[in-house]
């Protein structure tokens, strides 16, 4: 046991940082608050700084003073509500908390909201950790990213939960370092361009999947240290894979060691209990009216870019922020409306600051309503995100694909309606974790029909997704067609790869991703009408849709889909030019689990179809999809 340390002092130069934090304009408040190495007059200490404006007293307790309640009293900087102390002899990985005495003389032991590292659950203390010193090897990736137009680039995202992607035989987690081999190589093998990691900001309960956070500046210690997580991101970048983090600025958990009633009052949450309580999740909502709370959250988003080189943030549950009454509460703003004006202001400020510092990052809104201009720049009265999940497309498409094919003809609009609004925002098409949990069933089990037909339908669905305008996102397990619904306590059911159908489906997804990355027509004009043209939109009787995707230079890819188990032989498709057209990707190939050994080539006829001078007649496979491209002109 260490000898208690009482050697400390109070630095006098935190006033400006405290002032900026109170004003809500200390963008990098993580360099001030929290625990930091501090050198003054050649003396090295660790400076601890915490915001607790309504506390009567604050003491620092930890390994370095044998958790003595009294011998490290903190001092408030003026009337800023910010407490400070410099302590000698603190060592890396030392655990600590703040002992807060409230105005009602209640005693709380709180983890540091700005801690960079935390004890492994079920322990709850913060750990002193120096983030500096990691040697990055991703310069080539960062330079490439600066030159990349993210809107005119392929984006196929693999969404992953690190705790349940794969577990060891004894049930232990893979560490960040182990995942840097296992997960990185797998994502590369499967052809994805990005990985999206479900929240790893420190959280106490596995069952929350990370969405109920206690540490907004600490990657969870479940998988290792902060520098271990840097190593994982670094390895992704070395394989040319971008890293997106889920981030939760809506609410936080009520655990007593966390942010809840931090200084004995509603500090990070509203003082109004009715407004603060989030009954749906059993959490507390952030109060966006407070400068310090906005500063805390914006600093968190900036921090992950600064220290971990991440390539984007997916902001969770944006609708819960935008609407005061989204959860059914009767809350109005001062104008009598239900818009949360403070949250709107926060979101615009967040995106403005992030893009000022990182112009090529991804700021993705998970927003489920028709709130306008989500991806419009702030200066044009938008919210300032550059991407939005297309929840409408996801809901309509899954509702359609789950229908017995016999009845799809009566619901054709579920398949086509999304193109009315497809270019109103910059969309990502998501088949996320939310669609394969809570009794919703796995993706393969959403498909009607017998065993083989389920696989046919799933390949068809995926080719429809990849042909449709918008970037792509798929949750782990979807790529192997696991039959089990996602269970956060277990691994993906990798055992299905003992069966041929699943192996062939996995090969299909890998080749679909690789084809997608190479085919510019599928992503260069995702957000403009000129990148899309309907050929067959009204054939509900046969449940066939056909459209063209078009690249910047006018190169066209025909995307043809047959949503019934009936072969559509000699189906006419209009084309612009005379020549020979080849099927460049077919969901019905035997190597993917279908029926065909090889694809056909089709020569044009001078027959006007779909307002085109020429046409080809193709065999549309049952429950199948084809991508078709002109290969050569006829010789005269």
């Amino acid at each position: 046991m260490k000898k208690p340390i009482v050697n400390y002092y109070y630095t006098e130069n935190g006033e400006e940082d405290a002032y900026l934090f109170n004003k809500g304009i200390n963008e990098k408040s993580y360099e001030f608050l929290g625990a930091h190495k501090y050198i003054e007059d050649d003396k090295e200490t660790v400076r601890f700084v915490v915001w607790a404006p309504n506390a009567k007293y604050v003491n620092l307790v930890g390994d370095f003073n044998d958790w003595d309640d009294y011998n490290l009293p903190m001092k408030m900087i003026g009337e800023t509500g910010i407490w400070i102390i410099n302590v000698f002899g603190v060592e890396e990985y030392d655990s600590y908390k703040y002992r807060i005495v409230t105005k009602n003389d209640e005693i709380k032991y709180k983890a540091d909201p700005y801690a960079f590292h935390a004890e492994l659950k079920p322990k709850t203390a913060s750990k002193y950790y120096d983030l500096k010193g990691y040697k990055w090897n991703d310069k080539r990736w960062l330079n490439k990213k600066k030159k990349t137009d993210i809107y005119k680039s392929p984006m196929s995202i693999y969404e992953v939960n690190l705790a349940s992607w794969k577990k060891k035989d004894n049930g232990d987690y893979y560490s960040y370092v182990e995942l840097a081999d296992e997960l990185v190589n797998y994502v590369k093998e499967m052809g994805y361009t990005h990985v999206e990691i479900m929240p790893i900001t420190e959280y106490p309960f596995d069952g929350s999947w990370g969405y109920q956070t206690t540490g907004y500046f600490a990657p969870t210690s479940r998988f290792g240290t902060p520098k271990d997580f840097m190593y994982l991101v670094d390895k992704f970048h070395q394989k040319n894979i971008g890293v997106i983090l889920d981030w939760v600025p809506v609410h936080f958990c009520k655990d007593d060691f966390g942010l809840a009633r931090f200084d004995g009052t509603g500090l990070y949450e509203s003082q109004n209990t009715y407004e603060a309580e989030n009954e749906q999740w059993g959490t507390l909502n952030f109060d966006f009216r407070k400068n310090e709370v906005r500063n805390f959250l914006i600093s968190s988003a900036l921090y992950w870019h600064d220290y971990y080189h991440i390539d984007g943030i997916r902001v969770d549950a944006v609708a819960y922020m935008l609407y005061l009454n989204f959860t059914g509460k009767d809350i109005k703003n001062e104008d009598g409306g239900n818009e949360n004006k403070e949250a709107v202001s926060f979101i615009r400020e967040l995106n403005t600051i992030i893009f000022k510092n990182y112009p090529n990052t991804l700021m993705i809104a998970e927003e489920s309503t028709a709130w306008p201009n989500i991806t419009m720049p702030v200066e044009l009265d938008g919210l300032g995100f550059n991407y939005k999940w297309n929840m409408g497309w996801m809901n309509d498409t899954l509702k359609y694909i789950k229908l017995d094919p016999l009845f799809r003809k009566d619901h054709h609009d579920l398949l086509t309606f999304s193109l009315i609004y497809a270019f109103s925002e910059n969309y990502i098409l998501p088949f996320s974790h939310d669609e394969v949990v809570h009794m919703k069933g796995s993706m393969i089990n959403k498909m009607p029909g017998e065993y083989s037909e389920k696989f046919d339908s799933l390949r068809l669905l995926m080719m429809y997704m990849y042909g449709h305008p918008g970037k792509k996102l798929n949750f782990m397990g979807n790529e192997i067609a696991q039959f089990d619904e996602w269970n956060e306590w277990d691994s993906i059911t990798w055992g299905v790869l003992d069966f041929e159908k699943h192996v062939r489906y996995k090969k299909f997804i890998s080749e679909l991703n690789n084809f997608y990355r190479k085919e510019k027509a599928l992503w260069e004009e995702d957000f403009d009408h000129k990148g899309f043209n309907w050929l067959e939109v009204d054939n509900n009787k046969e449940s066939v849709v056909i459209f063209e995707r078009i690249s910047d230079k006018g190169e066209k890819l025909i995307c043809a889909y047959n949503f019934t188990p009936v072969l559509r032989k000699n189906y006419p498709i209009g084309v612009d030019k005379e020549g020979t057209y080849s099927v460049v990707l077919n969901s019905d190939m035997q190597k993917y689990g279908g029926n065909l050994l090889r694809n056909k080539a089709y020569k044009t006829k001078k027959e006007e179809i779909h307002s085109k001078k020429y046409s080809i007649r193709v065999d549309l496979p049952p429950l199948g999809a084809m991508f078709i491209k002109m290969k050569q002109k006829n010789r005269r």
Side-chain angles (χ1 to χ4, degrees):
M1 185 177 293
K2 294 183 179 181
K3 183 180 179 180
I5 294 173
V6 293
N7 197 2
Y8 64 90
Y9 75 100
Y10 305 110
T11 185
E12 299 296 331
N13 62 356
E15 291 86 351
E16 182 178 357
D17 283 319
Y19 171 81
L20 295 174
F21 179 70
N22 289 154
K23 289 291 185 182
I25 54 176
N26 192 337
E27 295 176 5
K28 298 191 176 185
S29 58
Y30 48 86
E31 294 180 349
F32 171 53
L33 286 104
H36 298 271
K37 183 185 295 183
Y38 189 83
I39 300 174
E40 187 175 48
D41 298 331
D42 295 326
K43 295 178 181 179
E44 182 178 306
T45 61
V46 173
R47 185 175 73 176
F48 294 85
V49 184
V50 66
W51 178 52
N54 302 302
K56 184 183 288 187
Y57 308 110
V58 180
N59 289 74
L60 180 67
V61 297
D63 290 341
F64 36 78
N65 76 334
D66 200 21
W67 295 87
D68 186 286
D69 279 351
Y70 304 106
N71 64 15
L72 289 176
M74 300 183 76
K75 177 184 177 183
M76 189 183 289
I77 301 174
E79 296 182 0
T80 62
I82 294 174
W83 302 75
I84 192 166
I85 192 172
N86 287 62
V87 182
F88 290 90
V90 177
E91 298 177 4
E92 191 159 52
Y93 299 110
D94 275 351
S95 297
Y96 69 97
K97 282 188 177 181
Y98 298 111
R99 178 183 181 270
I100 293 175
V101 180
T102 73
K103 290 181 176 177
N104 296 325
D105 292 321
E106 181 184 4
I107 298 173
K108 293 177 172 288
Y109 292 89
K110 291 287 189 178
D112 188 346
Y114 280 84
F116 295 149
H117 195 23
E119 287 184 323
L120 182 61
K121 66 171 186 97
K123 294 182 177 181
T124 59
S126 302
K127 282 181 173 288
Y128 168 63
Y129 191 88
D130 188 358
L131 288 175
K132 296 176 182 176
Y134 179 80
K135 186 178 179 181
W136 287 88
N137 295 287
D138 63 347
K139 188 173 182 180
R140 181 179 296 179
W141 168 265
L142 296 178
N143 288 337
K144 174 189 171 186
K145 191 166 73 168
K146 289 178 183 176
K147 303 172 185 176
T148 299
D149 184 340
I150 58 174
Y151 305 106
K152 293 182 177 291
S153 299
M155 189 187 301
S156 176
I157 304 166
Y158 186 63
E159 185 191 25
V160 62
N161 174 260
L162 296 184
S164 60
W165 178 71
K166 185 182 285 190
K167 286 188 175 179
K168 298 178 181 179
D169 291 341
N170 63 0
D172 286 351
Y173 299 129
Y174 278 80
S175 69
Y176 293 125
V177 173
E178 291 166 330
L179 289 166
D181 289 325
E182 291 272 339
L183 178 59
V184 171
N185 289 332
Y186 181 78
V187 174
K188 183 69 175 178
E189 171 201 344
M190 293 306 298
Y192 292 99
T193 65
H194 291 73
V195 65
E196 180 178 314
I197 301 173
M198 288 168 65
I200 60 160
T201 43
E202 191 60 83
Y203 57 99
F205 177 51
D206 288 348
S208 79
W209 313 334
Y211 289 99
Q212 295 184 15
T213 293
T214 51
Y216 277 77
F217 297 84
T220 178
S221 55
R222 286 166 174 78
F223 315 114
T225 70
K227 285 178 184 172
D228 291 341
F229 181 62
M230 292 178 191
Y231 179 77
L232 175 60
V233 175
D234 203 359
K235 285 294 186 179
F236 272 119
H237 286 173
Q238 291 171 43
K239 295 285 189 179
N240 288 312
I241 298 165
V243 179
I244 302 164
L245 292 188
D246 267 20
W247 184 68
V248 190
V250 184
H251 63 131
F252 53 91
C253 60
K254 292 182 176 180
D255 295 59
D256 193 56
F257 70 92
L259 300 178
R261 295 189 61 80
F262 190 80
D263 61 2
T265 67
L267 189 62
Y268 289 87
E269 69 274 31
S270 172
Q271 296 276 17
N272 183 323
T273 303
Y274 184 65
E275 292 181 1
E277 288 285 340
N278 189 318
E279 288 91 353
Q280 180 173 346
W281 291 317
T283 54
L284 296 169
N285 298 316
F286 280 108
D287 185 354
F288 300 111
R289 288 169 292 205
K290 295 172 183 167
N291 292 337
E292 295 88 351
V293 171
R294 294 197 305 274
N295 208 152
F296 171 80
L297 290 168
I298 290 170
S299 292
S300 171
L302 200 56
Y303 159 83
W304 293 99
H305 286 83
D306 277 357
Y307 279 102
Y308 296 95
H309 291 201
I310 65 162
D311 305 289
I313 287 174
R314 178 264 199 184
V315 181
D316 182 59
V318 171
Y320 286 82
M321 302 165 68
L322 294 175
Y323 298 93
L324 292 166
N325 63 343
F326 194 76
T327 57
K329 289 188 174 183
D330 184 21
I331 303 176
K332 305 286 186 183
N333 60 36
E334 66 271 20
D335 298 324
N338 58 15
E339 302 88 0
N340 188 335
K341 294 184 178 182
E342 290 80 11
V344 171
S345 175
F346 161 74
I347 290 170
R348 288 173 171 162
E349 183 183 7
L350 165 71
N351 287 322
T352 298
I353 289 172
I354 295 298
F355 284 119
K356 178 185 71 174
N357 288 273
Y358 294 94
N360 292 319
T361 197
L362 307 169
M363 292 298 290
I364 304 166
E366 190 246 341
E367 203 283 326
S368 55
T369 75
W371 187 285
N373 300 328
I374 297 283
T375 58
M376 189 73 75
V378 170
E379 57 270 23
L380 298 178
D381 203 31
L383 289 186
F385 292 100
N386 54 1
Y387 284 101
K388 173 184 174 176
W389 276 18
N390 194 336
M391 310 293 278
W393 173 88
M394 178 272 298
N395 282 312
D396 285 350
T397 304
L398 290 182
K399 185 176 180 180
Y400 178 85
I401 203 70
K402 286 190 284 188
L403 292 169
D404 185 308
L406 181 66
F407 303 111
R408 287 176 180 166
K409 63 181 182 294
D410 300 318
H411 302 275
H412 198 65
D413 59 320
L414 290 173
L415 206 59
T416 61
F417 177 70
S418 59
L419 268 303
I420 294 175
Y421 62 87
F423 310 107
S424 62
E425 302 276 8
N426 302 332
Y427 282 119
I428 292 173
L429 310 180
F431 289 142
S432 75
H433 66 277
D434 280 328
E435 312 321 315
V436 293
V437 75
H438 296 327
M439 306 301 290
K440 294 178 183 176
S442 65
M443 289 296 291
I444 187 74
N445 266 332
K446 296 182 195 299
M447 306 300 117
E450 300 296 326
Y451 179 74
S452 185
E453 288 180 328
K454 287 179 180 291
F455 283 90
D456 295 341
S457 291
L458 194 55
R459 293 193 303 273
L460 166 63
L461 174 65
M462 294 309 299
M463 282 189 66
Y464 176 69
M465 177 196 205
Y466 277 65
H468 192 288
K471 309 306 183 187
K472 327 298 176 188
L473 179 142
N474 261 298
F475 184 54
M476 65 183 199
N478 292 353
E479 80 281 4
I480 60 172
Q482 71 171 34
F483 274 92
D484 289 349
E485 188 177 73
W486 174 50
N487 180 350
E488 68 270 19
W489 307 107
D490 296 323
S491 295
I492 291 174
T493 52
W494 295 104
V496 298
L497 293 178
D498 292 337
F499 301 93
E500 184 180 14
K501 279 286 189 182
H502 295 270
V503 173
R504 291 177 183 264
Y505 182 77
K506 178 174 175 276
K507 179 181 178 66
F508 166 74
I509 292 297
S510 176
E511 294 196 7
L512 177 61
N513 271 324
N514 286 318
F515 177 85
Y516 166 75
R517 290 203 328 270
K518 295 173 184 175
E519 185 55 57
K520 294 181 177 180
L522 289 176
W523 40 262
E524 277 193 334
E525 293 295 345
D526 264 328
F527 311 120
D528 195 301
H529 288 276
K530 67 183 180 182
F532 179 91
N533 179 52
W534 278 116
L535 295 176
E536 188 79 276
V537 63
D538 294 323
N539 188 358
N540 65 302
K541 291 183 179 179
E542 295 181 302
S543 299
V544 169
V545 293
I546 306 172
F547 51 77
E548 296 171 316
R549 294 300 310 277
I550 307 164
S551 73
D552 269 352
K553 294 182 179 179
E555 297 171 343
K556 294 186 176 182
L557 181 74
I558 297 169
C559 306
Y561 305 91
N562 175 14
F563 286 92
T564 66
V566 178
L567 172 66
R568 304 297 179 190
K569 200 165 181 63
N570 295 319
Y571 198 94
I573 299 177
V575 294
D576 292 313
K577 297 178 181 179
E578 186 179 14
T580 299
Y581 287 74
S582 297
V583 178
V584 288
L585 192 66
N586 190 330
S587 70
D588 197 37
M589 300 300 291
Q590 281 188 8
K591 64 178 179 177
Y592 303 143
N595 300 295
L596 301 176
L597 279 172
R598 61 182 63 87
N599 284 310
K600 293 181 180 180
Y602 298 96
K603 290 186 178 180
T604 55
K605 295 181 179 180
K606 192 160 186 179
E607 176 186 20
E608 186 169 332
I609 300 287
H610 301 141
S611 301
K612 307 279 189 178
K613 290 183 180 179
Y614 303 96
S615 67
I616 55 175
R617 289 186 173 267
V618 306
D619 297 336
L620 280 177
L623 296 175
M626 301 192 305
F627 291 162
I628 304 166
K629 199 171 184 181
M630 184 179 183
K631 284 297 183 183
Q632 63 185 55
K633 293 182 179 179
N634 283 340
R635 295 174 181 169
R636 294 185 180 277

